[in-house]
Structures are given as structure tokens and as C-alpha cells.
Amino acid sequence: MKQIMKDDDKALLEKLIVEAERQTRAQIVMAVIRRSDNYCEIPWKAFAFGTSVTGLVVLFLDLFFPVWVTGATILLSVTAIIVIGAFLALLTVLLPWFARLFLARHRRETEPLQYAESLFLSHELFRTKGRRGILLFVSRFERQVVILPDTGVKDRLNDPIMKNIISGMKPHLRQNKLRDAMEAGLKGIVAALRPPLSDVPDNNELSDKIIEEEGI
């Protein structure tokens, strides 16, 4: 798998995780996913958009600039419509920013959440004493952040606080500064968990290594 983050960035963040856990007594796991779904509908949406717009342009030209209709002009028009639609579909494969234009908002939000929840379960982040596990999850293609706190820390990391932390990360993600985004998220979690959790052991129960996956 091609690396999503540079080794130096991962090493720095893993050190920051250790320090954050020391300050809060929570167990923090970071995960970076390239994309949370394959979104097979995106190329088809781009193709439909390209063919529709090109078809309207052809119609406009025929109405306002009429020419003698021949087999060649019909073939040229149909070819232009199909080629431009196919070209836009290809761009969605090659250019993530272009593909995001055809991604529905609800899909952009729900797919990363479902992927994050599956990671939380598959890596057993619930097995900490005091249920103090926290997943800080970033899906790069969708530019979405999900924070999943276990029951032992959910009162400190309620929805308004998590939205505020995520808002601080989003500008970095838009600039493709993944390390800065993760660092900002980690600082936000630390600030929300001060003073540190009480009645929980001060030991490391979950790996501090950053999870990297291609996704679906």
C-alpha cells in the first residue's frame, strides 16, 4: 500500500499521542483512510452531466445557427456528446477534487462515519479500562473527520465540543496539510479532557501507531 503520510509526520504525531495520553489518561488512536467508499456513481454522474450539457449546446447551435443536416453532422454531434461525457468521467478517476464535485453531501458524511465505526470495533477500542478509548479518524478523499469517544469520555467529548474540534481541523485538510490537521485535532481533544480522567489507570492499553488504510 502506498503511504498516505510521511514517516516523519507519523513519528511526530505518535510522540504527540503519547504526550496527550499522559496528560489526559485517555487512550487515543489516530486513523487515516484514503477513501471510505469507491463511490461508483461518481463517474456515471459526471458522464450524465457532460452528455446533458453537450447535448444542450448542440441543440442551441442547431436552433440559432442552422446548417444543412447530413449524416456527417449528426455523427459529429453524437460523437462530441459521448466523448465529452466520457472525458468528464475519466477526470473523476484522475482528479479527486473534480470527483468530489459529484459526491452527494449525505454520502460524504455517512460513509466516513460508517468506516470509522467499523474501525472502532475491529481494533477493539472499547476494551480499555474505564472505556476511555478515542478514535480520531480522517478520510482524505471526502475531507471528513470523525471523532468517536467511548462511553467513559463521551461526557467530556460531547457533540458541540467535537464539532468545534473538527472545525479547527477542516482548514488544514482543505490545504492538504494532514499532519497539521491531526495535530490540531489532538490538541482539541487534550483541551477537552482537562483536568485528566480520574479513577483510570495511567498505562498504555492501545497502540500509538497511526492506522493507515486505502479504504474501500
Side-chain angles (χ1 to χ4, degrees), residues 3 5 19 22 57 69 79 99 115 142-143 161 165 203-205:
Q3 280 189 320
M5 298 185 68
E19 178 60 22
R22 186 190 66 80
V57 171
V69 178
T79 301
Y115 201 111
E142 298 86 350
R143 289 180 175 170
I161 289 176
I165 295 172
N203 62 335
N204 194 22
E205 297 181 74

Side-chain angles (χ1 to χ4, degrees), residues 1-213:
M1 183 191 77
K2 184 179 179 181
Q3 280 189 320
I4 302 175
M5 298 185 68
K6 297 178 181 178
D7 289 335
D8 291 345
D9 290 344
K10 287 193 292 185
L12 174 62
L13 288 172
E14 286 164 4
K15 289 180 181 179
L16 292 176
I17 290 172
V18 172
E19 178 60 22
E21 291 179 343
R22 186 190 66 80
Q23 294 180 38
T24 64
R25 291 195 177 183
Q27 290 292 286
I28 303 168
V29 175
M30 286 186 177
V32 181
I33 308 303
R34 199 173 299 279
R35 59 193 298 158
S36 296
D37 194 86
N38 57 16
Y39 303 110
C40 58
E41 75 274 14
I42 287 179
W44 288 107
K45 284 184 176 181
F47 179 81
F49 175 79
T51 54
S52 299
V53 171
T54 308
L56 288 174
V57 171
V58 169
L59 177 62
F60 174 85
L61 293 175
D62 285 343
L63 290 175
F64 293 95
F65 303 97
V67 296
W68 190 260
V69 178
T70 65
T73 57
I74 294 175
L75 179 61
L76 181 61
S77 298
V78 172
T79 301
I81 292 171
I82 295 176
V83 167
I84 291 177
F87 178 69
L88 293 187
L90 178 62
L91 285 182
T92 63
V93 177
L94 300 176
L95 303 175
W97 67 266
F98 188 72
R100 278 192 293 270
L101 297 176
F102 299 93
L103 179 58
R105 181 176 179 179
H106 74 278
R107 291 270 281 156
R108 181 183 295 193
E109 294 175 351
T110 57
E111 295 301 329
L113 176 59
Q114 290 177 6
Y115 201 111
E117 289 172 341
S118 69
L119 272 184
F120 194 98
L121 293 176
S122 62
H123 288 267
E124 299 183 347
L125 271 62
F126 53 81
R127 62 182 170 83
T128 60
K129 294 180 179 178
R131 301 294 296 270
R132 55 202 172 104
I134 302 169
L135 175 63
L136 178 58
F137 172 95
V138 173
S139 192
R140 294 212 66 182
F141 172 73
E142 298 86 350
R143 289 180 175 170
Q144 290 293 310
V145 179
V146 178
I147 301 174
L148 290 181
D150 207 345
T151 54
V153 289
K154 198 165 181 60
D155 59 332
R156 301 272 199 101
L157 287 172
N158 54 40
D159 288 340
I161 289 176
M162 289 192 293
K163 286 180 180 178
N164 187 52
I165 295 172
I166 292 171
S167 295
M169 297 174 65
K170 285 293 184 71
H172 299 296
L173 287 180
R174 285 194 289 268
Q175 299 174 28
N176 289 320
K177 296 180 179 179
L178 182 56
R179 189 196 73 184
D180 292 343
M182 301 293 273
E183 190 172 349
L186 193 58
K187 287 179 180 178
I189 290 173
V190 171
L193 296 181
R194 286 179 178 166
L197 301 173
S198 58
D199 300 324
V200 293
D202 186 15
N203 62 335
N204 194 22
E205 297 181 74
L206 300 174
S207 174
D208 298 321
K209 296 293 182 183
I210 296 175
I211 300 170
E212 282 187 298
E213 292 185 6

